[in-house]
Amino acid sequence: MTSEPIVHVRGARRRYGTFEAVRGVDLDVHRGELVALLGTNGAGKTSFVELVEGLAPASGGTVRVLGHDPYRERRQVVGSLGIMLQSAGFSGDLTVAETARTWAGTLSRPRPVDDVLGAVGLTHRADVRVASLSGGEKRRLDLALATMGDPELLFLDEPTTGLDPESRRATWRLVQGMLEAGTTVLLTTHYLEEAEELADRIAIMQAGRVVRSGSVADIVGAEPARVEFVVRNAAGSPVVPGAADLPSLEGIVDVPQVDRTGRLRLRTTSLQGDLHTLLQWAEARQLRLDDLDARSASLEQAFLAMDDTDDTHDETAEVAA
């Protein structure tokens, strides 16, 4: 990656009347990387991405794509962009091939229609009208057209919504191939597994602001690991130890919880050390830790752990973003 970002945003704001959907966002996207933008509905993701795509002007701040204002200097950047919206709205009366040929006519350097349809697995549907495609097939057609011009910067807005797991992974492989070829990608998705699989960096939005950003490892590393087990004595009977009965654990972050089945759950910032301590404790007392499940935090855990202090449930926010 070069030091000069392909997307450079500082203090970006977007207002809808008196409501501010984007509230001072800073974001850089460097050439050849994929940045995933996450957030609940109404967090401002789509409102922000539309600023970077040049589909709307910023109410404040600076937005630069390839060194230009993407809205006011759209002619200078539009030929280098590929945009996959949540709904493209192509005519249902045209066939898949006709739609692709029509789209190719708007591009300066389109890839062959057969190549782009083949890449998304739609060759066998080339003569089918768009109206007859399934929801997943329409998403694949959207992706084919967004990538037809070999864009320098590709925007993917919920690209795998409606796809079956096999098609979703095929889409991931296509995107990974484009990244390896040097394409830069800004992705919005509700699939956290998708962000973990594809993203070099993640930015999480709440109430129009980026509240956390970094690599998956950076974001997940700030969350405690989880350990769960059932304690049994030498005869196999369950034992429910109180907090005072457990060994001293250096990374424990709250009081251990016991569910109605006797399964004990605890969270720790020192997974290896505390797990070792627990195993030694159990062995010294001739106890077994059955159904032991110890795992590091996940992106989902980090995402859900953020305090819901925004106003994303405001009706205007839901419409705007």
Side-chain angles (χ1 to χ4, degrees):
M1 294 184 293
T2 63
S3 58
E4 185 70 23
I6 194 169
V7 173
H8 178 70
V9 180
R10 288 293 179 273
R13 296 181 176 275
R14 187 177 181 188
R15 297 184 183 88
Y16 298 85
T18 60
F19 174 73
E20 194 168 40
V22 179
R23 306 177 182 183
V25 170
D26 296 341
L27 184 71
D28 285 340
V29 182
H30 292 271
R31 191 174 297 275
E33 73 172 346
L34 187 148
V35 174
L37 197 62
L38 306 179
T40 57
N41 289 333
K45 302 186 304 298
T46 298
S47 292
F48 171 72
V49 171
E50 287 178 350
L51 299 181
V52 184
E53 292 170 337
L55 300 180
S59 303
T62 300
V63 180
R64 293 291 181 268
V65 173
L66 295 166
H68 298 278
D69 183 316
Y71 182 78
R72 294 177 175 81
E73 302 174 286
R74 188 161 179 76
R75 287 179 179 271
Q76 283 88 336
V77 299
V78 68
S80 301
L81 307 182
I83 300 176
M84 181 181 179
L85 302 175
Q86 289 187 25
S87 178
F90 296 115
S91 172
D93 294 331
L94 297 179
T95 67
V96 169
E98 289 169 343
T99 301
R101 286 194 294 268
T102 299
W103 188 254
T106 69
L107 304 173
S108 57
R109 297 182 306 276
R111 294 164 55 204
V113 168
D114 290 344
D115 288 355
V116 295
L117 294 184
V120 297
L122 286 179
T123 301
H124 68 296
R125 304 287 276 169
D127 296 326
V128 174
R129 294 188 185 279
V130 170
S132 298
L133 297 179
S134 68
E137 288 172 334
K138 289 178 181 177
R139 292 307 284 157
R140 283 189 274 160
L141 176 59
D142 293 342
L143 179 61
L145 302 191
T147 59
M148 180 178 275
D150 274 333
E152 288 185 62
L153 175 60
L154 177 62
F155 296 93
L156 299 176
D157 196 357
E158 305 291 344
T160 60
T161 298
L163 298 186
D164 59 79
E166 182 179 353
S167 296
R168 182 172 296 128
R169 292 193 175 275
T171 299
W172 293 354
R173 289 192 293 270
L174 176 61
V175 173
Q176 286 167 334
M178 296 190 70
L179 289 168
E180 291 169 2
T183 302
T184 305
V185 181
L186 182 59
L187 164 77
T188 66
T189 181
H190 281 113
Y191 295 112
L192 299 183
E193 181 188 6
E194 186 162 274
E196 286 183 297
E197 180 74 19
L198 296 174
D200 297 293
R201 288 188 296 118
I202 288 171
I204 300 177
M205 290 190 70
Q206 276 188 341
R209 299 180 177 91
V210 172
V211 295
R212 192 175 299 180
S213 64
S215 67
V216 173
D218 291 336
I219 293 173
V220 170
E223 294 298 319
R226 188 189 73 200
V227 182
E228 298 183 7
F229 51 87
V230 175
V231 181
R232 297 186 186 277
N233 60 24
S237 300
V239 177
V240 182
D245 300 321
L246 292 171
S248 177
L249 302 175
E250 60 177 302
I252 196 165
V253 297
D254 49 23
V255 177
Q257 303 295 315
V258 180
D259 67 17
R260 59 184 179 80
T261 69
R263 187 172 183 80
L264 189 145
R265 296 183 173 91
L266 58 87
R267 299 190 304 152
T268 174
T269 57
S270 179
L271 178 58
Q272 181 173 335
D274 284 350
L275 183 58
H276 179 68
T277 299
L278 283 167
L279 292 172
Q280 286 187 316
W281 168 81
E283 183 176 6
R285 287 159 179 75
Q286 296 185 316
L287 299 172
R288 298 202 317 262
L289 304 186
D290 279 1
D291 300 322
L292 178 61
D293 183 4
R295 64 182 66 190
S296 298
S298 65
L299 181 59
E300 179 180 14
Q301 178 181 328
F303 184 78
L304 295 176
M306 293 189 307
D307 290 336
D308 187 18
T309 57
D310 59 37
D311 58 356
T312 56
H313 297 294
D314 180 275
E315 182 178 353
T316 310
E318 295 290 344
V319 173

